[in-house]
Amino acid sequence: MSEFRDGTRCVHAGGPAPVAGQPFLAGPVFAAPYHLPPGGPDPAVDSYGRSGNPTWRALEAALGELDGGECVIFPSGMAALSVLLRTVLRPGDLVIAPDDGYYLARALFAEQFPDIEVRYVPAVGPWTPETVAGARLVLVETPGNPSLDVCDIAQVARLTRAAGALLVVDNTTATPLGQRPLELGADVSLGSDTKAVAGHSDVLLGHLSTVDGELAGKLRRARTVGGHNPGPFEVWLAHRGLATLDLRLARQAENAAALVDRLRAVPDVSGLRWPGSPEDPGYAVAAAQMRRFGGVFSFRLPSAAAVDQFLAKTRLIASATSFGGLHSSVDRRAQWGDPVPPGFVRFSCGIEDPADLVADVLAALS
Ligand code: PLP
């Protein structure tokens, strides 16, 4: 499928070859045990639902193709991250992680990896050989959640490789259509598919993609023995959602561009960040390494009360803590403990009509 463009690949990725009388995307396979072949277990044949499932394999084929690697899916983005960390880290290892990143990744290190040293560094750099010296793993998130800082994946990949460490890129905000970290030199691309990939705010799911077949095998094995198995129905919903990712991202980015443009003139709005805007400090790197921009932007209102007031007045924007869905939503990140001012807002554009959205947001801020 690599000769086709994004919209075509999203519709066809991981789908079955056309067979008369068969559906375009087979429904989810619900199975705990499967019939065993005569003579006993065969690794090429599914035997038990914790270790293999055809619905999983279809989505893994799709996401692996879009990421340019081998994909292993998990029940959530956090499950993907914790299995990865347990698989590659050993007590005493050093991890380098960005200061702008998903807050539960910090909690995961603090609460479940007491034997791992984690050094937090500015996501925007400067990245030098000293930044990554001695590391076993470097974890970057770009654009970062929530501040949308951008870091240069290819540069960090070169440094990480020279230091003999693994580079993991949390690609959730960008999605596999927005950015291909493996092509830029990362060892692993991580996605919370709960967000734009599944895209309908009704599924939790995550995945890891890698070009290292041995690592992919270890991750699959860790999923099986650790019991981190995604539910087939959720996986199927995500695959169905993936088909429209190209369209949804295009509308979300269109909405972000329209809103960012109009919000610049609103007196109470400050600190607008959207990597797709030429005025954004991350724009040059983002434009060079991203294939398209997404629909998440951020800004500050003067106080938490001002955000509450905005939410009380808007007719279209939900107060919710995810992003990448059909519905536009706002999350005041300080309420979750992110190190941002009380009035800091992460805005996730949905796929509503741009004119309606702009009118509603401007009215709610007036
Ligand atoms: N990575 C990022 C950037 C996220 O924003 C999130 C969730 O918000 C995660 C990982 C975790 O994903 P999940 O909620 O699917 O466990």
Side-chain angles (χ1 to χ4, degrees):
M1 298 293 294
S2 54
E3 70 273 32
F4 295 115
R5 294 179 180 78
D6 285 356
T8 313
R9 300 171 88 203
C10 284
V11 170
H12 290 274
V19 175
Q22 295 298 312
F24 286 22
L25 178 65
V29 173
F30 301 111
Y34 301 83
H35 291 292
L36 290 177
D42 171 349
V45 178
D46 285 324
S47 58
Y48 193 64
R50 188 169 7 79
S51 47
N53 176 293
T55 311
W56 296 359
R57 286 192 291 277
L59 182 62
E60 288 178 339
L63 292 174
E65 164 168 351
L66 296 174
D67 273 335
E70 191 172 339
C71 169
V72 187
I73 54 171
F74 293 91
S76 67
M78 288 312 294
L81 181 61
S82 38
V83 170
L84 175 70
L85 299 180
R86 278 179 220 299
T87 303
V88 301
L89 294 178
R90 295 292 168 262
D93 280 347
L94 170 69
V95 171
I96 307 298
D99 54 1
D100 181 26
Y102 184 49
Y103 77 118
L104 275 192
R106 291 191 291 277
L108 179 67
F109 283 120
E111 294 171 28
Q112 301 206 359
F113 290 87
D115 299 331
I116 300 297
E117 185 190 344
V118 187
R119 196 186 303 147
Y120 292 99
V121 300
V124 292
W127 289 86
T128 67
E130 288 69 45
T131 319
V132 298
R136 167 74 188 117
L137 186 144
V138 177
L139 171 67
V140 299
E141 194 182 307
T142 179
N145 169 21
S147 294
L148 303 172
D149 280 343
V150 173
C151 92
D152 183 335
I153 297 175
Q155 186 208 7
V156 178
R158 278 193 296 276
L159 293 168
T160 305
R161 183 141 306 155
L166 277 182
L167 175 60
V168 179
V169 175
D170 186 329
N171 202 35
T172 301
T173 319
T175 84
L177 295 193
Q179 190 165 263
R180 296 218 187 103
L182 301 179
E183 282 178 5
L184 297 166
D187 297 286
V188 178
S189 180
L190 180 153
S192 164
D193 304 314
T194 310
K195 309 294 185 304
V197 166
H200 292 67
S201 307
D202 50 12
V203 161
L204 273 97
L205 207 72
H207 81 273
L208 301 168
S209 288
T210 175
V211 287
D212 179 345
E214 193 184 331
L215 177 59
K218 285 184 187 167
L219 294 168
R220 270 181 227 290
R221 178 71 185 155
R223 178 176 65 186
T224 300
V225 300
H228 306 282
N229 35 293
F233 186 56
E234 283 78 0
V235 174
W236 180 81
L237 277 175
H239 201 160
R240 193 172 75 153
L242 176 67
T244 54
L245 180 61
D246 175 59
L247 295 174
R248 289 183 283 109
L249 284 182
R251 173 56 74 85
Q252 288 167 350
E254 182 186 351
N255 281 338
L259 283 168
V260 167
D261 185 44
R262 297 299 297 274
L263 287 177
R264 287 201 194 287
V266 175
D268 274 352
V269 169
S270 62
L272 259 176
R273 293 291 312 269
W274 184 51
S277 164
E279 291 165 54
D280 191 89
Y283 177 76
V285 175
Q289 73 185 7
M290 294 184 72
R291 303 174 67 247
R292 63 206 288 169
F293 301 114
V296 181
F297 67 95
S298 65
F299 60 93
R300 284 196 304 275
L301 291 178
S303 62
V307 179
D308 288 345
Q309 211 174 6
F310 166 71
L311 285 168
K313 285 172 82 179
T314 169
R315 295 169 63 206
L316 296 179
I317 316 300
S319 169
T321 189
S322 196
F323 56 88
L326 305 177
H327 304 75
S328 289
S329 65
V330 147
D331 195 12
R332 194 176 69 73
R333 290 305 302 175
Q335 68 191 342
W336 302 101
D338 271 354
V340 290
F344 176 98
V345 159
R346 186 185 69 204
F347 195 114
S348 171
C349 295
I351 63 164
E352 298 90 345
D353 186 276
D356 289 340
L357 214 49
V358 167
D360 178 74
V361 168
L362 292 182
L365 285 173
S366 66

